[in-house]
Amino acid sequence: MRSATTEGKLRALRSGQGVRSGSLYLALALGVTGVLTYAFQSLSAHALGVRGFGLLANLWSATFLFGQVLWIGITQMLGRYIAEREARGQDWEQVVASARRLQLALLGLFILAALALSPLLTSVLFGGRVALTAAFILSICAYSFNYFRRGVLSGHRQFIRLSSMFITESGSRVIVAAILLVAGLGVVGPAVAIVLAPVISVLLIRPAEVRRPTGSGESFSLSHAFRFAMPVLASMACAQVLANGGPIAVTALGGERSHEWAGILLAALQLTRAPQYVMSPVTSNLLPHLTRVAAPTSASTPQAA
């Protein structure tokens, strides 16, 4: 027979966590993620040299610039509306379905645009390395499903599992990169690690079972999802140009050592982002909790933020 302590732990894993515990789990996870990210970049820099790391810096910056711009809106939409409808006992599955349709539409547009611009991306950002252009496109595809899973976990307040996703992603990136660098793949090794890490975390961390919705609630269509996600997408575009656009801009300006300077700038930016690992848990944890607080007092489900 399981002990009361074990049963309590299992219930905590299956159910949603509160504001305090959710923030604590995410703070610890993102702290570990920051250390592992620094380990990944340090390992890559020492193994690849200045120019090789500069090429990787462009891949890293482009991946998280476009990945966050495209997918954060869907993550926040899932976090908000799943929590709201779950609090009311209404159907949150149609929110998931609408978000998935929007995600696939954006992903299709991105793939078409990236393929059309691939010669420019290869020559300007990736030093003629077609493999890095392919890694960029594949990583954005991989992160679309990763950010979708994050939104579902956030909406159900399963912050233990969300925290595990962050650690699994960053840890697997270090491990895969180390193995492939030892195998002699050069810059392709860390590039493959960037692509595989979000996929590994999605495969290993799945949502816990939740109570199925009993009420239907108002319909939630693709237009509702679009009206919520587009303002977030626009604001994230401005933020990410500042946060991740630097190495790309340095390379685009050209010059004999542009890739080297891009790598140095990424290393400097990584150190200045330490406060982000403190504040991110608060912001990502508050959205579903505040939504649940507001949901019972609202007459109907809002259609857009």
Side-chain angles (χ1 to χ4, degrees), residues 3-294:
S3 66
T5 302
T6 303
E7 290 289 352
K9 290 180 179 179
L10 289 174
R11 282 196 299 272
L13 286 170
R14 295 191 186 105
S15 61
Q17 287 78 54
V19 176
R20 189 181 310 172
S21 60
S23 295
L24 177 60
Y25 292 133
L26 286 171
L28 291 173
L30 288 172
V32 173
T33 297
V35 173
L36 290 171
T37 298
Y38 183 79
F40 168 79
Q41 294 186 356
S42 297
L43 173 68
S44 300
H46 283 88
L48 299 175
V50 178
R51 177 172 172 77
F53 183 67
L55 293 172
L56 185 69
N58 283 332
L59 174 61
W60 179 277
S61 299
T63 295
F64 288 100
L65 191 160
F66 285 94
Q68 294 201 44
V69 168
L70 288 172
W71 311 133
I72 281 288
I74 291 175
T75 299
Q76 293 189 2
M77 181 184 68
L78 288 166
R80 183 200 167 172
Y81 286 113
I82 288 176
E84 181 179 66
R85 293 192 171 216
E86 191 176 62
R88 294 174 173 169
Q90 295 177 346
D91 180 15
W92 44 262
E93 291 177 325
Q94 57 182 305
V95 175
V96 174
S98 294
R100 184 175 289 113
R101 288 195 293 272
L102 177 59
Q103 177 200 49
L104 293 175
L106 289 174
L107 183 58
L109 290 173
F110 166 78
I111 292 173
L112 290 175
L115 290 176
L117 296 173
S118 59
L120 182 64
L121 292 172
T122 302
S123 61
V124 174
L125 289 186
F126 303 127
R129 309 289 285 273
V130 176
L132 295 184
T133 303
F136 166 61
I137 297 173
L138 291 174
S139 66
I140 298 299
C141 296
Y143 271 106
S144 68
F145 302 103
N146 182 280
Y147 277 85
F148 194 95
R149 176 63 53 82
R150 293 184 193 183
V152 172
L153 293 175
S154 177
H156 291 306
R157 297 175 301 126
Q158 295 178 7
F159 292 107
I160 293 177
R161 292 172 182 263
L162 180 57
S163 300
S164 300
M165 273 195 73
F166 289 129
I167 296 174
T168 303
E169 177 193 332
S170 55
S172 61
R173 187 161 52 227
V174 175
I175 294 171
V176 173
I179 293 172
L180 296 181
L181 284 169
V182 170
L185 268 66
V187 70
V188 174
V192 170
I194 291 175
V195 174
L196 292 183
V199 177
I200 292 171
S201 64
V202 169
L203 293 176
L204 293 182
I205 310 298
R206 297 179 176 275
E209 291 186 11
V210 295
R211 183 178 301 173
R212 311 310 296 176
T214 56
S216 59
E218 293 185 3
S219 62
F220 193 94
S221 67
L222 184 60
S223 63
H224 299 160
F226 186 83
R227 287 202 298 272
F228 181 93
M230 288 307 105
V232 179
L233 187 153
S235 62
M236 283 302 300
C238 297
Q240 288 305 312
V241 166
L242 295 175
N244 287 304
I248 296 173
V250 168
T251 303
L253 289 173
E256 185 178 345
R257 301 183 61 191
S258 60
H259 287 93
E260 297 178 17
W261 289 116
I264 294 171
L265 179 57
L266 177 65
L269 287 172
Q270 189 62 37
L271 293 175
T272 60
R273 287 175 188 160
Q276 176 185 356
Y277 292 103
V278 177
M279 295 305 299
S280 291
V282 177
T283 56
S284 59
N285 185 32
L286 282 178
L287 178 61
H289 287 295
L290 292 177
T291 299
R292 289 177 68 88
V293 170

